[in-house]
Amino acid sequence: MFRSVILAAAGSSQVERLVQSVPLSRNLVSRFVAGTSGDDALRVARELVGDGLAVTLDYLGEDTTTAADAEATRDEYLSLLDGLAGDELTPAAEVSVKLSALGQAFDEKLAEEHARAICAKASESGTTVTFDMEDHSTTDSTLEILGRLRADFPTAGVALQAYLRRTEADCRELATHGSRIRLCKGAYSEPESVAYQTRLDVDKSYVRCMNILMSGDGYPMIATHDPRMIAIAEDRAKWFDHGCDDFEFQMLYGVRPEEQLRLAEDGYTVRVYVPYGTQWYGYLMRRLAERPANLAFFARALASR
Ligand code: FDA
């Protein structure tokens, strides 16, 4: 109930205007977001990489409605990747991209062209791209675009969401040599017809999908903060004889930072998803929906104004 209300607010432009009109405490946004510019993102990336972590940088923005905005998003990624070329951060730093920010909703071909330009620049810069997964109406289109891009850029990766009923089958299809799959639980509000609704069912699906990915030929990216899922992944790594270079853990910037360091100290690759930019509203609302304690943090920040 709590989750659906917050996720409904995440899609409301009226609530967005209201929240953005409140001069939010810098602490609140900066807990989850690296800053507004590419330089902010690179500064945070350097700190994390200095601590033994890897990063994936995400330029915030989604559901772009104009070609000009889609082009601006592409250009931001191109310039970020230019900054990474020859930098000591590569290959520890890669980028994460939302196709909806590149125009997927109004012109799939355009989004694919922009995505291709980003993959080409990433490849020149010696790093990789992972495509985020958005609401279920975009899954087919995202996987089709990924399939075409992978023909030229085999390291292009994608997120799959364990809450979707289809994901076990998608994992089976994609757990092939060289394929980079980020398994997450899923962050959007989805109907029962396509998605498991209870935490238990989502967790069970997560474990089934993880089993498929960890026993397959691809490179699993286990994106979760859930201690039980992390423990099961460690167990499966032993079971399937995966070394620390055969898979990685991923977590969000600002969430369970001590656990990120603990896993890295244990020898695992841990990649932190670092968002930056001014379009933080949808991202922040999804983080609030995941954890009531984050809402208390949000409320305290508002009250302290
Ligand atoms: P869940 O939210 O169920 O939390 C389980 C447990 O984890 C909690 O009970 C608690 O123990 C611990 N925990 C969680 N948050 C904590 C906190 N703030 N502090 C302390 N403990 C905490 N989603 C999507 O739909 N598309 C995408 O492309 C992506 N991409 C993505 C990339 C990466 C790198 C990550 C880590 C996540 C995503 N997600 C995503 C988000 C994902 O789908 C999911 O919403 C969040 O990761 C939260 O789910 P968890 O697996 O962490 O478990």
mmCIF file of all heavy atoms in Angstrom, residues 235-265:
data_model
loop_
_atom_site.group_PDB
_atom_site.id
_atom_site.type_symbol
_atom_site.label_atom_id
_atom_site.label_comp_id
_atom_site.label_asym_id
_atom_site.label_seq_id
_atom_site.Cartn_x
_atom_site.Cartn_y
_atom_site.Cartn_z
ATOM 1 N N ASP A 235 26.648 -18.224 -1.666
ATOM 2 C CA ASP A 235 26.534 -19.682 -1.649
ATOM 3 C C ASP A 235 26.568 -20.258 -3.077
ATOM 4 O O ASP A 235 27.292 -21.208 -3.367
ATOM 5 C CB ASP A 235 25.221 -20.065 -0.951
ATOM 6 C CG ASP A 235 24.982 -21.548 -1.029
ATOM 7 O OD1 ASP A 235 25.648 -22.268 -0.269
ATOM 8 O OD2 ASP A 235 24.160 -21.997 -1.870
ATOM 9 N N ARG A 236 25.779 -19.635 -3.981
ATOM 10 C CA ARG A 236 25.722 -20.145 -5.363
ATOM 11 C C ARG A 236 27.076 -20.006 -6.060
ATOM 12 O O ARG A 236 27.460 -20.836 -6.883
ATOM 13 C CB ARG A 236 24.657 -19.401 -6.192
ATOM 14 C CG ARG A 236 23.229 -19.562 -5.702
ATOM 15 C CD ARG A 236 22.818 -21.027 -5.609
ATOM 16 N NE ARG A 236 21.411 -21.148 -5.266
ATOM 17 C CZ ARG A 236 20.928 -21.252 -4.028
ATOM 18 N NH1 ARG A 236 21.742 -21.268 -2.985
ATOM 19 N NH2 ARG A 236 19.616 -21.345 -3.811
ATOM 20 N N ALA A 237 27.794 -18.922 -5.714
ATOM 21 C CA ALA A 237 29.118 -18.738 -6.332
ATOM 22 C C ALA A 237 30.012 -19.920 -5.977
ATOM 23 O O ALA A 237 30.738 -20.450 -6.831
ATOM 24 C CB ALA A 237 29.736 -17.424 -5.859
ATOM 25 N N LYS A 238 29.926 -20.355 -4.702
ATOM 26 C CA LYS A 238 30.745 -21.519 -4.292
ATOM 27 C C LYS A 238 30.255 -22.763 -5.013
ATOM 28 O O LYS A 238 31.020 -23.549 -5.555
ATOM 29 C CB LYS A 238 30.630 -21.720 -2.776
ATOM 30 C CG LYS A 238 31.379 -20.685 -2.003
ATOM 31 C CD LYS A 238 31.488 -21.075 -0.520
ATOM 32 C CE LYS A 238 31.903 -19.874 0.299
ATOM 33 N NZ LYS A 238 30.870 -19.322 1.145
ATOM 34 N N TRP A 239 28.925 -22.936 -5.013
ATOM 35 C CA TRP A 239 28.306 -24.130 -5.606
ATOM 36 C C TRP A 239 28.679 -24.279 -7.072
ATOM 37 O O TRP A 239 29.014 -25.357 -7.549
ATOM 38 C CB TRP A 239 26.786 -24.032 -5.424
ATOM 39 C CG TRP A 239 26.038 -25.217 -5.913
ATOM 40 C CD1 TRP A 239 25.391 -25.345 -7.114
ATOM 41 C CD2 TRP A 239 25.851 -26.469 -5.230
ATOM 42 N NE1 TRP A 239 24.820 -26.574 -7.217
ATOM 43 C CE2 TRP A 239 25.087 -27.292 -6.074
ATOM 44 C CE3 TRP A 239 26.269 -26.957 -3.991
ATOM 45 C CZ2 TRP A 239 24.721 -28.589 -5.723
ATOM 46 C CZ3 TRP A 239 25.900 -28.239 -3.644
ATOM 47 C CH2 TRP A 239 25.139 -29.044 -4.500
ATOM 48 N N PHE A 240 28.607 -23.146 -7.816
ATOM 49 C CA PHE A 240 28.892 -23.212 -9.266
ATOM 50 C C PHE A 240 30.364 -22.902 -9.571
ATOM 51 O O PHE A 240 30.724 -22.673 -10.718
ATOM 52 C CB PHE A 240 27.970 -22.266 -10.046
ATOM 53 C CG PHE A 240 26.540 -22.711 -10.018
ATOM 54 C CD1 PHE A 240 25.586 -21.992 -9.322
ATOM 55 C CD2 PHE A 240 26.144 -23.873 -10.662
ATOM 56 C CE1 PHE A 240 24.264 -22.411 -9.283
ATOM 57 C CE2 PHE A 240 24.824 -24.306 -10.629
ATOM 58 C CZ PHE A 240 23.878 -23.582 -9.927
ATOM 59 N N ASP A 241 31.170 -22.845 -8.505
ATOM 60 C CA ASP A 241 32.599 -22.671 -8.677
ATOM 61 C C ASP A 241 32.950 -21.365 -9.395
ATOM 62 O O ASP A 241 33.823 -21.338 -10.267
ATOM 63 C CB ASP A 241 33.130 -23.879 -9.494
ATOM 64 C CG ASP A 241 34.519 -24.246 -9.024
ATOM 65 O OD1 ASP A 241 34.916 -23.758 -7.959
ATOM 66 O OD2 ASP A 241 35.207 -25.008 -9.748
ATOM 67 N N HIS A 242 32.247 -20.313 -9.049
ATOM 68 C CA HIS A 242 32.548 -19.009 -9.645
ATOM 69 C C HIS A 242 33.591 -18.301 -8.811
ATOM 70 O O HIS A 242 33.413 -18.123 -7.607
ATOM 71 C CB HIS A 242 31.303 -18.112 -9.649
ATOM 72 C CG HIS A 242 30.352 -18.407 -10.761
ATOM 73 N ND1 HIS A 242 30.765 -18.659 -12.050
ATOM 74 C CD2 HIS A 242 29.009 -18.459 -10.782
ATOM 75 C CE1 HIS A 242 29.710 -18.871 -12.806
ATOM 76 N NE2 HIS A 242 28.627 -18.770 -12.063
ATOM 77 N N GLY A 243 34.654 -17.848 -9.463
ATOM 78 C CA GLY A 243 35.629 -17.009 -8.774
ATOM 79 C C GLY A 243 35.061 -15.598 -8.665
ATOM 80 O O GLY A 243 34.018 -15.279 -9.251
ATOM 81 N N CYS A 244 35.798 -14.758 -7.934
ATOM 82 C CA CYS A 244 35.327 -13.383 -7.724
ATOM 83 C C CYS A 244 35.257 -12.577 -9.022
ATOM 84 O O CYS A 244 34.603 -11.549 -9.081
ATOM 85 C CB CYS A 244 36.225 -12.676 -6.716
ATOM 86 S SG CYS A 244 35.945 -13.306 -5.056
ATOM 87 N N ASP A 245 35.953 -13.039 -10.094
ATOM 88 C CA ASP A 245 35.903 -12.301 -11.364
ATOM 89 C C ASP A 245 34.773 -12.777 -12.274
ATOM 90 O O ASP A 245 34.593 -12.254 -13.378
ATOM 91 C CB ASP A 245 37.227 -12.466 -12.132
ATOM 92 C CG ASP A 245 38.365 -11.793 -11.411
ATOM 93 O OD1 ASP A 245 38.071 -10.869 -10.603
ATOM 94 O OD2 ASP A 245 39.524 -12.194 -11.631
ATOM 95 N N ASP A 246 34.032 -13.775 -11.843
ATOM 96 C CA ASP A 246 33.012 -14.361 -12.736
ATOM 97 C C ASP A 246 31.620 -13.754 -12.537
ATOM 98 O O ASP A 246 30.665 -14.120 -13.229
ATOM 99 C CB ASP A 246 32.904 -15.874 -12.489
ATOM 100 C CG ASP A 246 34.228 -16.571 -12.788
ATOM 101 O OD1 ASP A 246 34.989 -16.045 -13.614
ATOM 102 O OD2 ASP A 246 34.498 -17.628 -12.179
ATOM 103 N N PHE A 247 31.469 -12.908 -11.550
ATOM 104 C CA PHE A 247 30.183 -12.246 -11.303
ATOM 105 C C PHE A 247 30.471 -11.047 -10.414
ATOM 106 O O PHE A 247 31.590 -10.886 -9.934
ATOM 107 C CB PHE A 247 29.189 -13.189 -10.607
ATOM 108 C CG PHE A 247 29.452 -13.406 -9.148
ATOM 109 C CD1 PHE A 247 28.648 -12.811 -8.174
ATOM 110 C CD2 PHE A 247 30.525 -14.186 -8.724
ATOM 111 C CE1 PHE A 247 28.898 -12.991 -6.823
ATOM 112 C CE2 PHE A 247 30.795 -14.362 -7.369
ATOM 113 C CZ PHE A 247 29.983 -13.770 -6.426
ATOM 114 N N GLU A 248 29.463 -10.174 -10.235
ATOM 115 C CA GLU A 248 29.686 -9.063 -9.320
ATOM 116 C C GLU A 248 28.429 -8.727 -8.547
ATOM 117 O O GLU A 248 27.317 -9.086 -8.956
ATOM 118 C CB GLU A 248 30.206 -7.827 -10.074
ATOM 119 C CG GLU A 248 29.217 -7.187 -11.020
ATOM 120 C CD GLU A 248 29.841 -6.039 -11.836
ATOM 121 O OE1 GLU A 248 30.986 -6.182 -12.335
ATOM 122 O OE2 GLU A 248 29.159 -5.009 -11.989
ATOM 123 N N PHE A 249 28.622 -8.044 -7.421
ATOM 124 C CA PHE A 249 27.507 -7.464 -6.677
ATOM 125 C C PHE A 249 27.347 -6.012 -7.114
ATOM 126 O O PHE A 249 28.333 -5.357 -7.466
ATOM 127 C CB PHE A 249 27.785 -7.510 -5.168
ATOM 128 C CG PHE A 249 27.679 -8.894 -4.587
ATOM 129 C CD1 PHE A 249 28.809 -9.589 -4.174
ATOM 130 C CD2 PHE A 249 26.437 -9.502 -4.457
ATOM 131 C CE1 PHE A 249 28.707 -10.867 -3.630
ATOM 132 C CE2 PHE A 249 26.330 -10.792 -3.917
ATOM 133 C CZ PHE A 249 27.460 -11.467 -3.508
ATOM 134 N N GLN A 250 26.109 -5.531 -7.062
ATOM 135 C CA GLN A 250 25.876 -4.120 -7.354
ATOM 136 C C GLN A 250 24.919 -3.547 -6.311
ATOM 137 O O GLN A 250 23.970 -4.218 -5.893
ATOM 138 C CB GLN A 250 25.271 -3.949 -8.758
ATOM 139 C CG GLN A 250 26.206 -4.406 -9.866
ATOM 140 C CD GLN A 250 25.771 -3.953 -11.249
ATOM 141 O OE1 GLN A 250 24.621 -3.538 -11.442
ATOM 142 N NE2 GLN A 250 26.684 -4.034 -12.207
ATOM 143 N N MET A 251 25.179 -2.333 -5.896
ATOM 144 C CA MET A 251 24.276 -1.639 -4.953
ATOM 145 C C MET A 251 24.172 -0.171 -5.352
ATOM 146 O O MET A 251 24.994 0.335 -6.122
ATOM 147 C CB MET A 251 24.806 -1.742 -3.527
ATOM 148 C CG MET A 251 24.792 -3.159 -2.993
ATOM 149 S SD MET A 251 25.067 -3.199 -1.219
ATOM 150 C CE MET A 251 25.686 -4.880 -1.083
ATOM 151 N N LEU A 252 23.160 0.486 -4.798
ATOM 152 C CA LEU A 252 22.931 1.891 -5.118
ATOM 153 C C LEU A 252 23.766 2.794 -4.209
ATOM 154 O O LEU A 252 23.974 2.470 -3.029
ATOM 155 C CB LEU A 252 21.445 2.236 -4.947
ATOM 156 C CG LEU A 252 20.467 1.413 -5.795
ATOM 157 C CD1 LEU A 252 19.021 1.783 -5.445
ATOM 158 C CD2 LEU A 252 20.718 1.624 -7.288
ATOM 159 N N TYR A 253 24.204 3.910 -4.765
ATOM 160 C CA TYR A 253 24.941 4.914 -4.000
ATOM 161 C C TYR A 253 24.102 5.340 -2.788
ATOM 162 O O TYR A 253 22.924 5.651 -2.918
ATOM 163 C CB TYR A 253 25.221 6.116 -4.907
ATOM 164 C CG TYR A 253 25.956 7.242 -4.235
ATOM 165 C CD1 TYR A 253 27.236 7.059 -3.736
ATOM 166 C CD2 TYR A 253 25.371 8.509 -4.124
ATOM 167 C CE1 TYR A 253 27.923 8.106 -3.132
ATOM 168 C CE2 TYR A 253 26.047 9.556 -3.528
ATOM 169 C CZ TYR A 253 27.317 9.344 -3.026
ATOM 170 O OH TYR A 253 27.990 10.378 -2.430
ATOM 171 N N GLY A 254 24.715 5.284 -1.620
ATOM 172 C CA GLY A 254 24.027 5.732 -0.401
ATOM 173 C C GLY A 254 23.270 4.641 0.318
ATOM 174 O O GLY A 254 22.739 4.865 1.396
ATOM 175 N N VAL A 255 23.181 3.463 -0.262
ATOM 176 C CA VAL A 255 22.446 2.375 0.388
ATOM 177 C C VAL A 255 23.430 1.290 0.850
ATOM 178 O O VAL A 255 24.178 0.743 0.056
ATOM 179 C CB VAL A 255 21.388 1.762 -0.568
ATOM 180 C CG1 VAL A 255 20.623 0.647 0.143
ATOM 181 C CG2 VAL A 255 20.425 2.827 -1.058
ATOM 182 N N ARG A 256 23.421 1.034 2.147
ATOM 183 C CA ARG A 256 24.280 0.037 2.787
ATOM 184 C C ARG A 256 25.774 0.180 2.401
ATOM 185 O O ARG A 256 26.416 -0.804 1.983
ATOM 186 C CB ARG A 256 23.789 -1.389 2.496
ATOM 187 C CG ARG A 256 22.345 -1.640 2.947
ATOM 188 C CD ARG A 256 22.033 -3.104 3.078
ATOM 189 N NE ARG A 256 22.669 -3.678 4.239
ATOM 190 C CZ ARG A 256 22.938 -4.985 4.371
ATOM 191 N NH1 ARG A 256 22.609 -5.839 3.413
ATOM 192 N NH2 ARG A 256 23.525 -5.450 5.462
ATOM 193 N N PRO A 257 26.325 1.401 2.542
ATOM 194 C CA PRO A 257 27.735 1.586 2.148
ATOM 195 C C PRO A 257 28.703 0.675 2.896
ATOM 196 O O PRO A 257 29.716 0.256 2.330
ATOM 197 C CB PRO A 257 28.008 3.069 2.454
ATOM 198 C CG PRO A 257 26.870 3.545 3.281
ATOM 199 C CD PRO A 257 25.705 2.647 3.022
ATOM 200 N N GLU A 258 28.389 0.352 4.156
ATOM 201 C CA GLU A 258 29.340 -0.509 4.897
ATOM 202 C C GLU A 258 29.349 -1.916 4.301
ATOM 203 O O GLU A 258 30.381 -2.567 4.236
ATOM 204 C CB GLU A 258 28.965 -0.638 6.399
ATOM 205 C CG GLU A 258 28.815 0.654 7.170
ATOM 206 C CD GLU A 258 27.456 1.308 6.943
ATOM 207 O OE1 GLU A 258 26.521 0.615 6.478
ATOM 208 O OE2 GLU A 258 27.343 2.522 7.209
ATOM 209 N N GLU A 259 28.175 -2.374 3.873
ATOM 210 C CA GLU A 259 28.093 -3.705 3.266
ATOM 211 C C GLU A 259 28.849 -3.724 1.926
ATOM 212 O O GLU A 259 29.497 -4.714 1.575
ATOM 213 C CB GLU A 259 26.617 -4.096 3.073
ATOM 214 C CG GLU A 259 26.377 -5.441 2.411
ATOM 215 C CD GLU A 259 26.809 -6.638 3.267
ATOM 216 O OE1 GLU A 259 27.365 -6.447 4.357
ATOM 217 O OE2 GLU A 259 26.582 -7.782 2.808
ATOM 218 N N GLN A 260 28.788 -2.601 1.200
ATOM 219 C CA GLN A 260 29.531 -2.520 -0.068
ATOM 220 C C GLN A 260 31.020 -2.742 0.210
ATOM 221 O O GLN A 260 31.695 -3.525 -0.481
ATOM 222 C CB GLN A 260 29.319 -1.137 -0.715
ATOM 223 C CG GLN A 260 27.874 -0.885 -1.116
ATOM 224 C CD GLN A 260 27.604 0.559 -1.542
ATOM 225 O OE1 GLN A 260 28.518 1.361 -1.710
ATOM 226 N NE2 GLN A 260 26.342 0.884 -1.729
ATOM 227 N N LEU A 261 31.529 -2.063 1.258
ATOM 228 C CA LEU A 261 32.957 -2.187 1.578
ATOM 229 C C LEU A 261 33.294 -3.577 2.098
ATOM 230 O O LEU A 261 34.334 -4.140 1.772
ATOM 231 C CB LEU A 261 33.351 -1.124 2.616
ATOM 232 C CG LEU A 261 33.300 0.313 2.108
ATOM 233 C CD1 LEU A 261 33.561 1.293 3.245
ATOM 234 C CD2 LEU A 261 34.322 0.530 0.984
ATOM 235 N N ARG A 262 32.372 -4.129 2.909
ATOM 236 C CA ARG A 262 32.640 -5.468 3.473
ATOM 237 C C ARG A 262 32.813 -6.486 2.345
ATOM 238 O O ARG A 262 33.755 -7.277 2.327
ATOM 239 C CB ARG A 262 31.497 -5.915 4.392
ATOM 240 C CG ARG A 262 31.757 -7.288 5.005
ATOM 241 C CD ARG A 262 30.533 -7.915 5.636
ATOM 242 N NE ARG A 262 29.538 -8.427 4.717
ATOM 243 C CZ ARG A 262 29.584 -9.603 4.090
ATOM 244 N NH1 ARG A 262 30.619 -10.398 4.239
ATOM 245 N NH2 ARG A 262 28.616 -9.984 3.276
ATOM 246 N N LEU A 263 31.894 -6.441 1.367
ATOM 247 C CA LEU A 263 31.973 -7.411 0.261
ATOM 248 C C LEU A 263 33.250 -7.193 -0.558
ATOM 249 O O LEU A 263 33.906 -8.150 -0.974
ATOM 250 C CB LEU A 263 30.730 -7.306 -0.632
ATOM 251 C CG LEU A 263 29.436 -7.851 -0.008
ATOM 252 C CD1 LEU A 263 28.210 -7.387 -0.796
ATOM 253 C CD2 LEU A 263 29.462 -9.379 0.061
ATOM 254 N N ALA A 264 33.587 -5.902 -0.781
ATOM 255 C CA ALA A 264 34.819 -5.624 -1.549
ATOM 256 C C ALA A 264 36.037 -6.150 -0.781
ATOM 257 O O ALA A 264 36.954 -6.715 -1.384
ATOM 258 C CB ALA A 264 34.942 -4.130 -1.816
ATOM 259 N N GLU A 265 36.022 -5.944 0.548
ATOM 260 C CA GLU A 265 37.156 -6.439 1.344
ATOM 261 C C GLU A 265 37.240 -7.964 1.299
ATOM 262 O O GLU A 265 38.318 -8.547 1.395
ATOM 263 C CB GLU A 265 37.055 -5.956 2.799
ATOM 264 C CG GLU A 265 37.640 -4.562 2.956
ATOM 265 C CD GLU A 265 37.122 -3.814 4.166
ATOM 266 O OE1 GLU A 265 36.606 -4.466 5.104
ATOM 267 O OE2 GLU A 265 37.216 -2.573 4.156
#
